[in-house]
Amino acid sequence: MAMSSQSFSAMKSQRPIAARTRRRRSMQPGEQVALWVSRIVIWCVIVMVLLPMWFVVIASFNPSNSYISFSLFPSNASLANYKALFQGGQFWTWVRNSLVVGVVVAMAQSFITAMSAFAFSKLRFYGRKYGLMTLLLLQMFPNILAIAAFYTALAKLNMIDMLGSYILVMLGTSAFNIWLLKGYMDSVPKELDEAAVIDGATTWQRFIHVTLPLSTPMMVVIFFLTLVGIFSEYMFAGTILQSPWNYTLGVGMYNLISGQFAKNWGEFAAAALLSAVPLAIVFAVAQRYLTKGLVAGSVKG
């Protein structure tokens, strides 16, 4: 009896191998050529994407402060650019300011986006049909058109060169995020809302206890997209923030290469690599929610 069970398990383990063998043998020559061509194309694309990043890595270890190198490996690699970047502590100040602004804006904007999306998805009010479409049309205009208005208003209120002012300006909710989250909330069964109404729940309670917990994956996606956008934003930060201790990463890194007689390309490359570390950590922690939110938001339930 033991021998029969062992032989049965051995035959069971050999079935996938035999199936793969038959599948491999059944491929036509033309299909094999297409498969290898697709693999070569994919690898070429990967190399093309990673090659510029590799040149940034080389520039960060190049003590000659040259940004363009014709060698794939640095000849005189050193940590001089990283040491120069850390001297004075300005880089850590930029990182701290970017983290503070990014986390505060991402959290606040995600919550404002959730309230707006809930209103357009679950409530019925006058102007609901064309309200979100109007927001999307307004979003098409470039943000640079609003810089003069924001700067004039902040100057009259004596709020120039303040991190709080920059956070206040960046709190404007993205119409695209509202549209994305509204589509996700539309997939939440309306029977849950109806059951909450029968139990006596108010609109706020329906939002906090029913819809918002079920929208966590998409909320994480919006939080991450907002955080990435704040880390890479320069236009408003360069206009509002004027003191070195208030610089974010975008403004501080631009000042490294904006000198008339000296452009610190090596330090810029080192800062570019180090600035990606916080985002990589956030992505690694929230990867499960990001994948679930993006997949769920790609279809309409």
Side-chain angles (χ1 to χ4, degrees), residues 16 69 80 114 125 136 141-142 144 177 182 189 209 266 282 288:
S69 176
F125 55 91
L136 288 174
F141 292 94
I144 194 173
N177 290 338
K182 175 191 175 297
H209 299 291
V282 173
R288 178 167 60 93

Side-chain angles (χ1 to χ4, degrees), residues 283-295:
F283 181 81
V285 173
Q287 183 179 7
R288 178 167 60 93
Y289 294 99
L290 287 171
T291 306
K292 186 185 299 184
L294 290 172
V295 172

